[in-house]
Amino acid sequence: MRLSRLAITIIMLISALDIYADEAAEIRKKIPHFQGERLLAAYDRLYRLSLEGNDPSYQLRCINDLIAETERQRNFGKAGDAKVMKLIFFYNNDLSDSIYQQTPGVLDFLKVNKSWKNYYESWTLLVNTYNFAGKTSEALKEANLMFDDAKMRQDKFGMGMAYYVLGNVYSNMYNPEEAANTYAMSIDLLMQVRPLPMQLSDVFSYYSDELTTQNRYAELEQLTVRWKTFLTDYYKRRLDDSVGEADSRWGYYYMACAQAALGQGQLEKAQMMLDEMKGKSAGADVFLDRMWLYYTADLLIRKKDYREALALNDQSVQLAMNSDDKSVMIRTRKQRAEILEGLGRYQEAARLYYEMYAINDSINSNEVKQQLTEMNARFDNEHLKLQQQEERNRNILIIVSIIIAALLIFIVFRYIAAKRLKAAHVKLEEAHSELETAHSQLLTAYDQLEETTTAKERIESELRIARDIQMGMVPRVFPPFPDRDDIDLFASITPAKAVGGDLYDYFVLDEKLYFCLGDVSGKGVPASLFMAVAVNLFRVASKQQLPPAEIATRMNDVLSENNENSMFVTMFIGVADLKTGHLDFCNAGHNPPVIKETDGTAHFLKMKPNAPLGFWPGLKYVGETIEDISMKPFFIYSDGLNEAENANHDQYGDDRLLSQMQNQAYESAEQTINRLLADVHEHVGGAEQSDDLTMLCLRIRGKQQ
């Protein structure tokens, strides 16, 4: 979907080059006679004419001519524009190496000339190129550097674009929740820029994808309100934009409206939005045409008009055949199977589900397995009578066979019995010899088993010692502050294996509570060793009374040095002032904490994104503050809580966590954690624990005492 959108602008510009050949030739004849601004305008016109053809080498020649002339005239503003055009040319033609080589020089040029909009647009191209090439670490590093640079200049366009590309990175890492949060922050910043930047259209579109992926249709509907405001204002001020480009962007807006309406069961509204979407596409955008077919068929399925839906799906399948996107093939086939199921053609539907299973192992989910089971069951019911008849015939054949076999057995029994008696005597002697041999082997096996048992007990003993050492590194005595009544704090840690990688720590220094909770990548002994290093680093840095962001920065520099196994730890670090309730914190890629307000409502804390600790050295972490958390329960946890699965692979989930925090009255930190432990155990049932589970809850009196 994203690649289709990136190609929209190019597709709109492509037409036959020979239509413009005469005009281009005429301009080249006149170029020697032009001077100054007229000469630059001629080169610019020549380059824009080249875009309407399909000859990349000619386009590159034209843009190089334009750059050379701007530099000869020392017109650095237009030179910057031309250099960005060249990077866009490389980007649109998938020339990644050229982008890697030339972007640093372009950024230096733009920085010297203080052309900040071009500066951050060029940086955006570099991050997106790293991201779509699968170089996630490089993309994350550049996105964070880009944000720090823009923040230093208080450039809202730069910060908004940094959040935008960071959202693309999270999306490529299959982290839809972080991607959605980051896109939201990008929109908040870019909506403050004047004039409104065109890139907002893409951010709205990508944000809608992430909300749809998570079935957050109510939020998607709210997003479309802001989206419409942007498009209306943008095109009111941009009368020079092409009609086709505007129609395409409005088409994506109406598609998001249709998705939100379908997700909430608003079928009439969905039909209206699909009609608007069709009017905006009108065959000019192949991707929008395909999505219109898909969602219109989905609407017809909900109306149980399966025949009309099948006709639209036929067209969608034809368009999907021209795409190399595996997800497109899976989506259209899944919809077709659902239609065939509605038509009672269960055998065909089941075959399609098996084909989807073969296309991509990732489609082998519980949902598809369940659908396959249902299809097979219905197909079996459809042929029940035929199977019963076949079973009766089979039973008759079995009975006849048994009778014949019984007669044959009776005839030969005496002969066989005599031979068996003789053979049994021989076998008895052989068995006696084999028994003696087996007895000797059994004694040998017993000795080996005794040695193996001793070794296993030694390993288990060492693991118990390792677990005791690990548990001894985190506070285990409650209440932890027997002489204080201004802190209520409780924590628990439950490793998935004998030893794990989760951690937490806290202590009071000069009327300030230092605390953290982290989750090391992986499990077992390697994770526990990495955890031990992280705990010690936190204690050393915290006792220097550093702010959370500086603690995270120093820990990251140490953990990422010589990190050959590429291990990392997500961590939430906080420092709470026990007198005022003021909280400083830094979140390094960890799950968002839950805070319960004094009115009883609970919500996840919205935070700025930071990379996990240990990715690479030199990264500067960003800290945040909350003015007062006095008397507000503050809950931190590892993903072993919200991702805990039962036997059906259903996760505990954020919604259930938030409901427990909000609907249960707060009595104490210990009661809160024990209640959540009981609830997650009830959800998991007898399923094996798949990840370490760690929780920490605190409430301070602060200035309320």
Side-chain angles (χ1 to χ4, degrees):
M1 182 178 289
R2 293 169 183 258
L3 294 177
S4 300
R5 291 176 186 161
L6 290 172
I8 290 172
T9 305
I10 306 169
I11 294 172
M12 291 178 177
L13 293 173
I14 292 177
S15 59
L17 181 60
D18 55 359
I19 296 176
Y20 304 94
D22 292 341
E23 185 177 352
E26 189 66 25
I27 291 173
R28 285 207 171 272
K29 288 179 183 178
K30 294 179 180 179
I31 278 177
H33 306 290
F34 289 153
Q35 297 295 328
E37 289 292 331
R38 293 185 64 198
L39 184 57
L40 287 179
Y43 275 117
D44 183 69
R45 176 62 177 161
L46 196 62
Y47 167 64
R48 296 186 186 282
L49 283 173
S50 73
L51 291 178
E52 296 169 351
N54 56 0
D55 185 352
S57 61
Y58 181 69
Q59 293 170 13
L60 186 58
R61 173 191 169 190
C62 290
I63 199 169
N64 282 332
D65 288 345
L66 178 59
I67 292 172
E69 183 58 29
T70 57
E71 291 179 340
R72 188 187 70 78
Q73 295 189 29
R74 300 183 64 79
N75 190 331
F76 300 123
K78 290 190 176 180
D81 294 339
K83 289 177 183 289
V84 176
M85 290 179 191
K86 189 173 182 180
L87 291 181
I88 293 173
F89 168 82
F90 291 146
Y91 187 84
N92 289 338
N93 287 277
D94 294 327
L95 300 174
S96 301
D97 289 340
S98 297
I99 291 179
Y100 301 149
Q101 294 168 4
Q102 298 199 23
T103 301
V106 174
L107 290 176
D108 290 341
F109 178 86
L110 297 171
K111 186 175 182 180
V112 169
N113 292 281
K114 299 182 178 180
S115 180
W116 301 121
K117 186 172 186 299
N118 282 336
Y119 179 72
Y120 292 115
E121 284 183 350
S122 300
W123 212 336
T124 296
L125 292 174
L126 177 63
V127 179
N128 278 337
T129 302
Y130 277 131
N131 185 37
F132 295 130
K135 298 182 177 182
T136 305
S137 295
E138 290 88 341
L140 272 172
K141 179 179 179 181
E142 290 296 332
N144 279 280
L145 291 174
M146 179 178 172
F147 179 82
D148 289 342
D149 185 274
K151 185 178 180 182
M152 178 188 67
R153 305 180 202 286
Q154 287 300 298
D155 190 310
K156 292 183 179 179
F157 177 76
M159 289 189 288
M161 294 301 290
Y163 277 132
Y164 161 51
V165 293
L166 189 58
N168 290 344
V169 175
Y170 280 128
S171 180
N172 221 30
M173 294 170 67
Y174 303 102
N175 190 340
E177 184 175 336
E178 279 297 331
N181 291 339
T182 312
Y183 286 138
M185 289 186 280
S186 174
I187 290 173
D188 289 342
L189 284 166
L190 293 178
M191 286 292 283
Q192 301 176 46
V193 177
R194 291 296 180 273
L196 289 171
M198 172 269 294
Q199 290 86 350
L200 261 169
S201 181
D202 289 336
V203 184
F204 274 112
S205 189
Y206 293 164
Y207 188 14
S208 70
D209 288 345
E210 302 304 331
L211 293 178
T212 301
T213 300
Q214 301 173 68
N215 300 325
R216 293 159 61 180
Y217 297 112
E219 294 177 59
L220 178 57
E221 184 177 25
Q222 295 173 4
L223 178 68
T224 58
V225 176
R226 298 184 69 190
W227 196 345
K228 183 177 182 181
T229 300
F230 157 69
L231 289 173
T232 302
D233 189 47
Y234 181 81
Y235 285 109
K236 185 185 300 180
R237 301 170 183 269
R238 302 275 299 190
L239 300 178
D240 58 327
D241 279 33
S242 67
V243 175
E245 179 186 349
D247 283 347
S248 179
R249 289 176 181 161
W250 277 105
Y252 283 102
Y253 159 76
Y254 286 119
M255 180 173 71
C257 292
Q259 290 171 322
L262 284 170
Q264 297 179 93
Q266 301 168 358
L267 302 188
E268 291 185 7
K269 182 178 178 180
Q271 182 66 68
M272 292 172 57
M273 295 299 102
L274 287 169
D275 291 342
E276 293 286 351
M277 176 183 172
K278 181 65 173 176
K280 295 297 181 183
S281 173
D285 188 322
V286 176
F287 176 78
L288 281 177
D289 287 341
R290 187 169 68 230
M291 297 310 297
W292 178 85
L293 289 170
Y294 176 82
Y295 285 115
T296 304
D298 190 25
L299 176 62
L300 291 170
I301 292 171
R302 293 167 188 261
K303 293 180 177 180
K304 301 190 183 302
D305 190 349
Y306 297 110
R307 296 193 180 280
E308 288 295 327
L310 184 60
L312 291 178
N313 182 264
D314 286 337
Q315 300 178 52
S316 184
V317 169
Q318 289 298 319
L319 290 175
M321 291 175 63
N322 299 322
S323 172
D324 57 357
D325 190 342
K326 202 174 286 187
S327 64
V328 172
M329 293 187 288
I330 293 172
R331 181 171 57 242
T332 53
R333 292 187 183 209
K334 187 168 184 279
Q335 185 183 73
R336 190 175 189 85
E338 187 176 353
I339 295 170
L340 292 173
E341 178 186 353
L343 291 171
R345 293 157 63 175
Y346 305 119
Q347 186 178 18
E348 297 175 66
R351 187 180 69 251
L352 278 175
Y353 281 119
Y354 280 116
E355 288 178 2
M356 283 188 288
Y357 189 90
I359 289 174
N360 192 334
D361 288 340
S362 65
I363 206 65
N364 185 18
S365 61
N366 290 329
E367 178 186 358
V368 173
K369 289 181 179 179
Q370 181 63 29
Q371 288 169 323
L372 285 173
T373 302
E374 293 176 359
M375 291 299 96
N376 289 331
R378 292 181 181 180
F379 180 67
D380 289 342
N381 292 335
E382 192 74 13
H383 296 78
L384 183 59
K385 293 183 180 179
L386 178 62
Q387 292 176 348
Q388 289 176 342
Q389 181 62 43
E390 291 176 350
E391 187 174 351
R392 283 196 294 270
N393 294 339
R394 188 163 53 249
N395 290 339
I396 292 172
L397 181 61
I398 291 172
I399 293 172
V400 173
S401 300
I402 291 173
I403 294 173
I404 295 173
L407 291 173
L408 290 174
I409 291 171
F410 178 76
I411 292 172
V412 301
F413 177 78
R414 290 181 180 273
Y415 175 75
I416 294 175
K419 292 190 67 177
R420 285 180 175 175
L421 185 62
K422 183 177 180 181
H425 179 72
V426 175
K427 288 182 178 181
L428 185 61
E429 291 181 346
E430 293 175 352
H432 179 72
S433 176
E434 291 175 356
L435 185 61
E436 290 181 345
T437 302
H439 179 70
S440 175
Q441 293 174 344
L442 183 61
L443 291 175
T444 303
Y446 179 79
D447 292 338
Q448 293 174 348
L449 178 61
E450 188 174 16
E451 293 177 3
T452 302
T453 302
T454 302
K456 181 180 178 183
E457 289 176 350
R458 184 173 63 253
I459 293 172
E460 289 177 348
S461 175
E462 291 173 353
L463 284 175
R464 281 194 299 270
I465 294 171
R467 176 183 173 85
D468 292 341
I469 293 172
Q470 182 188 16
M471 291 299 100
M473 299 186 69
V474 298
R476 302 288 292 171
V477 179
F478 299 99
F481 308 105
D483 297 329
R484 308 185 68 107
D485 60 357
D486 54 353
I487 303 173
D488 178 19
L489 187 149
F490 194 87
S492 74
I493 182 169
T494 309
K497 294 187 175 182
V499 289
D502 279 8
L503 62 101
Y504 68 86
D505 196 10
Y506 54 85
F507 59 87
V508 174
L509 185 62
D510 293 339
E511 296 302 316
K512 289 187 177 181
L513 172 65
Y514 291 78
F515 62 97
C516 72
L517 189 145
D519 183 359
V520 177
S521 59
K523 291 181 282 294
V525 174
S528 70
L529 294 174
F530 203 79
M531 166 267 191
V533 175
V535 168
N536 283 323
L537 287 174
F538 168 75
R539 291 176 181 172
V540 171
S542 297
K543 289 182 179 179
Q544 297 178 37
Q545 301 188 29
L546 299 173
E550 183 63 26
I551 294 173
T553 300
R554 295 196 180 188
M555 290 181 66
N556 176 69
D557 288 341
V558 177
L559 291 173
S560 57
E561 186 176 359
N562 299 323
N563 187 4
E564 297 179 356
N565 294 323
S566 299
M567 298 189 71
F568 61 89
V569 55
T570 65
M571 183 175 288
F572 183 93
I573 302 171
V575 179
D577 191 313
L578 301 180
K579 292 183 177 180
T580 66
H582 183 85
L583 174 67
D584 291 307
F585 67 90
C586 177
N587 185 60
H590 200 70
N591 302 74
V594 178
I595 184 168
K596 187 168 184 176
E597 301 291 346
T598 53
D599 62 0
T601 60
H603 61 87
F604 290 105
L605 185 61
K606 289 188 176 181
M607 303 169 294
K608 296 178 181 178
N610 284 299
L613 305 178
F615 263 129
W616 61 80
L619 186 61
K620 184 177 180 181
Y621 282 75
V622 179
E624 299 177 74
T625 63
I626 299 177
E627 286 303 320
D628 189 7
I629 63 168
S630 300
M631 302 305 292
K632 299 177 181 179
F634 197 82
F635 179 72
I636 322 170
Y637 56 96
S638 66
D639 57 13
L641 173 62
N642 57 331
E643 295 181 5
E645 295 183 348
N646 58 20
N648 296 323
H649 301 291
D650 298 323
Q651 293 189 347
Y652 185 78
D654 292 341
D655 291 341
R656 185 163 178 172
L657 167 59
L658 201 60
S659 175
Q660 281 290 319
M661 290 295 296
Q662 182 161 303
N663 296 332
Q664 298 293 331
Y666 180 85
E667 297 177 10
S668 68
E670 181 177 5
Q671 173 261 353
T672 298
I673 287 183
N674 288 338
R675 187 181 66 237
L676 284 168
L677 279 173
D679 192 52
V680 76
H681 288 158
E682 179 183 347
H683 169 77
V684 170
E688 182 180 357
Q689 182 180 347
S690 60
D691 199 0
D692 303 336
L693 170 57
T694 304
M695 296 180 285
L696 184 149
C697 182
L698 68 91
R699 186 178 72 167
I700 65 175
R701 290 187 179 276
K703 62 184 179 182
Q704 301 294 328
Q705 61 184 337

